[in-house]
Amino acid sequence: MRSPLDLLDFNSTPAFIAPSAGQYPHLWLWDACFHAIILAELRPELAARELNALFDAQLDDGMIPHVRFNPAVETSRYRPNETDWGTGGPHSGITQPPLVAPAAKIVFEKTGDKAFLKRAYPQIVRFHQWLKRVRDAADTGLVAIVHPWESGMDNSPSFDGVKDHFLKHHLPPGFEPPPRADTKRVPPEQRPTQDYYQFYWGLIRIFRETGWNPREMVKRSPCLIDDVLFNSIWARANDDLATLAWVLNKPRDQARFAAWATQTRRALGRHCWSARDGFFYSVDRRARQQIRVRTVGGLVTLYAGAATPAMAEALVEHLMDRREFYYHVGVPSTSFETVDFDSDRYWRGSIWINIHWLLSQGLMNYGYFDIAAKIMDKSHKLVEKEGYWEYYDPLNGQGLGASHFSWSTLTEIMKPKEPPPEFRMSSVVISPEEARRDDELRTLYLHPQNRRVKLTADHITSVPAVFINEVLEAIQQRPLDALGPIPEKQIRRRLRQVADITQRLIQEKRKAWPEYPRVCDLVSVAGERVFKSLKYRCEIRWTPDLHYFLRVTSPKGRVWIVDLSPSQFSWHPISRIPLLIERASLALESAVRKSGKAPLSLESLLRETQLAVQLIWAQADHSRMDRYEREAFLFGLRRHRGLVRRIMPRMLPCRPFFQSYLRWLESIQQGARRRT
């Protein structure tokens, strides 16, 4: 299987990344946004290119078309092509879910590229103004779609009623769409049916008759729907655009877009929520009624923050119901209970990785970290088993649709922060320069408050005195000077050799008390004796309330970090929580020292910390803290909460997140007090 970056390179054109080089060789709106989100994490320097390609396709009135055609691709390879649309340019005449602002916010968070933001901002504003002006002319808070392709969920059963009505009342007799190109590379049973293509092309025919006049398209389209997924993304997009306006010191814009987001969330609750079913549905404007088909679109309202806590609880009940959306493979795009559920026909039941990403983000918004983590894990298993497919069978996980599909590499960024590989080693020997490459190692070994300490056997609290004496006696009885001198260039190997020997000696004595792995004080005292006996300059270092380790200096003066108990952060995972909290605290502390607005990257850092800590917390229910651990843990939490409170006034658009984060810290603190 290709690596994520290799796959993205495989699908790359000179101007953008295509969804799939074979099946979809052009630029799609929300695909490009997902690609930018992926690249912001994996290859930040290229992330802005995807959004710039969308801006290059933007029309004079502000609309961003859902497809911009690649002139290097033969027109017969994809239908409808530029000629079929007849818009007068190399693009379609409809749009897609407006994920541009969320993608731009993530790109800016990861890159800090304000020049990009200044270029992108007015383009996104124009797009939002177009949507509000044309698709929500009555100012209801909900924007309408005029074609199923605009929803992103092209042949969802939620469109069946509108489609059947169109074919019966609006399709000219004998009308047939042009020959299909989509079934040349993908089996027909995995694609929308022919009657859906009559529907799609019939709508295009109507739009061409309007001369692609946006307001006339809204008036004449038999398909006029307040789509719940589209509007969920619309609400989130306005929230994120308000945040970008704040960054750029545009208070009026900030207030306007924040108001639009609030208006849409309220409208979703007022018009799309069914109290009887405990679910959000799309609304057919022509029929003036909810389309009562349960799809993942109703769950994506969590991404928008449109659900109250009680609504969110009801949605999670649906999500975890085995009769509806819960299965070990993943979340189907349509409820299993839906009459027209189809496991392998596009959006009628199949699993989509981009929906998994939206769901996991939404679930974390409401504190359902365990369920979000399960969805992330299922996404990884699908890709590990099948590779990067367009979608997957929800019953057996088989990859379906187009192969080598770009946005399925979202799995690479859908995971909690992994500990560095050094934490799985019995001992670590690294240089300070190497420690700087990972933020957890940097926090642990290069902390600003890190200092030399004099630690003796009397200061060791992790094990009984009898075992301390046994270990230190064993160290004294094992002659290591026979190792002899070694050239400076091989010093790392010698240090690791000494560390491993020392570690084995300690492990032999630990058999009597293996259940408690956090013995950094004991191993540091033992290690110091060993290295000093070999004439190395050695000192014990202490990162306050986190860890003891050794700093060893070679005969030529090179400094090495030697840790004889890094694996405690794997064996005793709850000990990694204070490290993650302190890592975030250092970033907050740095921002507090600077004037002006705090960087948006702090929010994503805290979200990442929250997920990692919550999952460790859930997995470590059996772990107990001793008195020293608990005191250090609570001290770190208090310091962290104080920094969050200090930075919050300088992160005004993110205030709701910071308030929920503080409540979460309080729950963690309460839990720590109980684990004694």
Side-chain angles (χ1 to χ4, degrees):
M1 184 174 72
R2 296 176 186 268
S3 72
L5 287 176
D6 284 345
L7 185 141
L8 295 174
D9 286 341
F10 176 75
N11 287 330
S12 187
T13 74
F16 59 86
I17 293 171
S20 173
Q23 183 78 351
Y24 305 103
H26 304 295
L27 175 73
W28 268 261
L29 194 164
W30 77 328
D31 292 74
C33 294
F34 283 118
H35 300 164
I37 290 167
I38 295 162
L39 288 169
E41 189 72 39
L42 304 184
R43 195 177 280 171
E45 68 277 9
L46 293 182
R49 186 188 73 153
E50 301 304 303
L51 300 182
N52 288 334
L54 291 177
F55 301 143
D56 289 342
Q58 190 167 24
L59 307 187
D60 291 341
D61 62 1
M63 187 188 90
I64 299 179
H66 97 295
V67 179
R68 183 187 184 183
F69 295 102
N70 182 351
V73 174
E74 189 178 331
T75 57
S76 62
R77 278 188 56 192
Y78 185 84
R79 304 291 297 272
N81 55 36
E82 179 180 342
T83 303
D84 296 326
W85 284 99
T87 59
H91 54 79
S92 69
I94 58 176
T95 191
Q96 249 186 345
L99 198 65
V100 187
K105 178 173 177 276
I106 291 172
V107 170
F108 177 67
E109 284 176 351
K110 297 297 182 181
T111 64
D113 186 349
K114 206 161 187 178
F116 155 74
L117 185 57
K118 288 179 178 178
R119 291 193 306 271
Y121 178 79
Q123 311 286 74
I124 303 171
V125 168
R126 289 176 57 228
F127 182 37
H128 281 226
Q129 289 173 330
W130 179 87
L131 283 167
K132 186 69 174 172
R133 182 177 66 251
V134 174
R135 299 301 182 85
D136 185 21
D139 197 27
T140 65
L142 298 176
V143 294
I145 63 170
V146 298
H147 194 294
W149 285 343
E150 291 195 315
S151 74
M153 299 176 62
D154 307 10
N155 69 329
S156 166
S158 62
F159 297 115
D160 285 1
V162 180
K163 180 256 300 178
D164 292 342
H165 183 271
F166 176 88
L167 296 180
K168 183 177 180 180
H169 298 284
H170 297 277
L171 192 70
F175 175 83
E176 286 294 331
R180 293 174 63 169
D182 61 307
T183 54
K184 291 180 180 179
R185 293 177 177 82
V186 175
E189 61 270 16
Q190 295 177 21
R191 297 290 301 166
T193 52
Q194 187 64 14
D195 60 341
Y196 255 99
Y197 267 80
Q198 287 181 306
F199 181 33
Y200 301 151
W201 282 86
L203 289 171
I204 292 173
R205 179 176 176 273
I206 291 173
F207 299 154
R208 289 192 62 160
E209 290 174 356
T210 71
W212 297 104
N213 181 299
R215 295 186 187 277
E216 286 298 313
M217 289 167 61
V218 171
K219 288 180 182 178
R220 292 193 55 188
S221 178
C223 174
L224 193 65
I225 293 172
D226 292 327
D227 182 74
V228 69
L229 183 145
F230 193 105
N231 277 281
S232 294
I233 292 176
W234 170 240
R236 177 63 178 263
N238 279 307
D239 264 334
D240 289 345
L241 188 54
T243 300
L244 298 180
W246 172 78
V247 171
L248 295 174
N249 296 312
K250 297 179 181 293
R252 290 185 179 178
D253 281 4
Q254 179 190 343
R256 174 174 47 155
F257 297 126
W260 286 4
T262 299
Q263 183 190 30
T264 300
R265 282 193 291 270
R266 289 174 178 169
L268 283 165
R270 186 165 54 250
H271 299 292
C272 301
W273 175 253
S274 167
R276 186 188 72 183
D277 296 350
F279 205 78
F280 285 94
Y281 296 111
S282 296
V283 173
D284 184 341
R285 283 199 189 181
R286 299 291 186 221
R288 298 185 180 181
Q289 63 183 16
Q290 290 181 343
I291 303 171
R292 303 177 81 84
V293 178
R294 288 179 197 165
T295 73
V296 286
L299 302 175
V300 172
T301 49
L302 297 171
Y303 177 70
T308 65
M311 289 175 177
E313 186 175 350
L315 292 175
V316 169
E317 287 182 8
H318 286 288
L319 178 60
M320 300 305 290
D321 190 333
R322 294 181 184 277
R323 297 166 299 176
E324 293 191 67
F325 290 100
Y326 185 81
Y327 198 57
H328 71 277
V329 178
V331 182
S333 52
T334 302
S335 166
F336 289 121
E337 285 190 321
T338 300
V339 173
D340 295 304
F341 171 87
D342 191 332
S343 64
D344 59 1
R345 194 176 287 280
Y346 215 45
W347 285 95
R348 301 185 73 81
S350 51
I351 295 167
W352 293 75
I353 298 297
N354 66 323
I355 295 296
H356 272 194
W357 184 84
L358 292 169
L359 282 177
S360 62
Q361 296 294 307
L363 287 162
M364 287 188 288
N365 285 345
Y366 286 86
Y368 294 100
F369 297 98
D370 54 338
I371 302 174
K374 287 178 182 178
I375 290 175
M376 294 179 189
D377 184 58
K378 290 173 182 179
S379 302
H380 280 276
K381 287 178 178 176
L382 283 170
V383 165
E384 288 170 3
K385 177 177 177 286
E386 294 289 316
Y388 297 106
W389 286 84
E390 185 179 4
Y391 45 98
Y392 300 84
D393 190 307
L395 302 179
N396 57 30
Q398 178 187 351
L400 303 171
S403 61
H404 306 98
F405 202 75
S406 294
W407 78 24
S408 290
T409 61
L410 279 164
T411 52
E412 193 63 19
I413 66 172
M414 286 170 58
K415 54 188 176 185
K417 187 182 187 311
E418 294 290 331
E422 285 81 1
F423 287 174
R424 291 188 287 272
M425 300 177 180
S426 60
S427 62
V428 165
V429 178
I430 58 174
S431 67
E433 293 75 22
E434 291 166 332
R436 288 190 184 94
R437 296 172 191 167
D438 181 272
D439 50 5
E440 286 189 59
L441 297 180
R442 185 168 60 248
T443 301
L444 193 62
Y445 301 130
L446 302 175
H447 193 287
Q449 301 301 318
N450 172 274
R451 61 181 181 267
R452 179 182 181 180
V453 293
K454 291 185 177 180
L455 192 66
T456 67
D458 294 335
H459 298 113
I460 296 172
T461 61
S462 60
V463 295
V466 61
F467 295 124
I468 298 171
N469 294 332
E470 285 186 16
V471 168
L472 297 181
E473 286 175 9
I475 291 292
Q476 289 176 332
Q477 293 170 6
R478 177 70 180 265
L480 295 177
D481 53 358
L483 293 173
I486 192 166
E488 179 73 16
K489 64 181 180 180
Q490 298 180 29
I491 194 71
R492 185 203 294 264
R493 184 166 62 85
R494 172 50 50 84
L495 293 175
R496 191 178 300 282
Q497 185 181 15
V498 173
D500 288 343
I501 292 172
T502 306
Q503 182 65 245
R504 283 197 296 272
L505 287 172
I506 295 170
Q507 289 298 331
E508 289 173 5
K509 297 299 179 181
R510 281 191 62 189
K511 291 177 181 177
W513 32 276
E515 75 286 350
Y516 191 75
R518 198 167 186 187
V519 290
C520 57
D521 51 1
L522 171 62
V523 297
S524 294
V525 170
E528 181 188 38
R529 294 192 180 189
V530 170
F531 283 106
K532 283 187 173 180
S533 72
L534 294 173
K535 311 303 182 188
Y536 288 103
R537 287 182 353 209
C538 179
E539 58 188 46
I540 298 176
R541 307 289 295 188
W542 182 50
T543 300
D545 302 309
L546 285 178
H547 199 51
Y548 292 102
F549 61 94
L550 300 175
R551 175 172 167 161
V552 178
T553 306
S554 73
K556 295 287 187 179
R558 187 171 183 188
V559 174
W560 294 90
I561 294 164
V562 179
D563 189 351
L564 298 177
S565 59
S567 56
Q568 74 178 43
F569 296 101
S570 298
W571 297 346
H572 189 51
I574 207 165
S575 67
R576 187 170 163 242
I577 293 179
L579 175 58
L580 290 166
I581 293 290
E582 183 61 20
R583 160 183 166 263
S585 290
L586 289 177
L588 289 168
E589 201 170 49
S590 174
V592 164
R593 287 196 297 266
K594 298 174 183 176
S595 60
K597 296 173 180 176
L600 284 185
S601 57
L602 287 179
E603 182 186 353
S604 59
L605 172 64
L606 295 183
R607 287 184 184 276
E608 179 185 87
T609 301
Q610 196 174 18
L611 174 61
V613 168
Q614 190 66 40
L615 294 182
I616 294 171
W617 197 252
Q619 295 164 4
D621 280 338
H622 61 281
S623 298
R624 307 292 288 181
M625 294 182 183
D626 66 18
R627 178 166 60 90
Y628 300 98
E629 282 183 300
R630 182 173 63 87
E631 289 176 357
F633 187 45
L634 292 175
F635 175 81
L637 279 177
R638 286 193 296 271
R639 161 176 147 78
H640 187 63
R641 289 177 68 193
L643 288 166
V644 171
R645 287 195 179 97
R646 289 176 65 186
I647 205 69
M648 192 162 62
R650 290 160 56 191
M651 296 283 289
L652 187 62
C654 308
R655 181 180 288 272
F657 165 73
F658 277 85
Q659 289 171 335
S660 68
Y661 186 79
L662 284 169
R663 290 193 295 271
W664 171 77
L665 285 176
E666 177 63 30
S667 70
I668 292 292
Q669 186 169 314
Q670 295 294 334
R673 290 195 179 105
R674 291 193 295 268
R675 293 188 184 219
T676 54

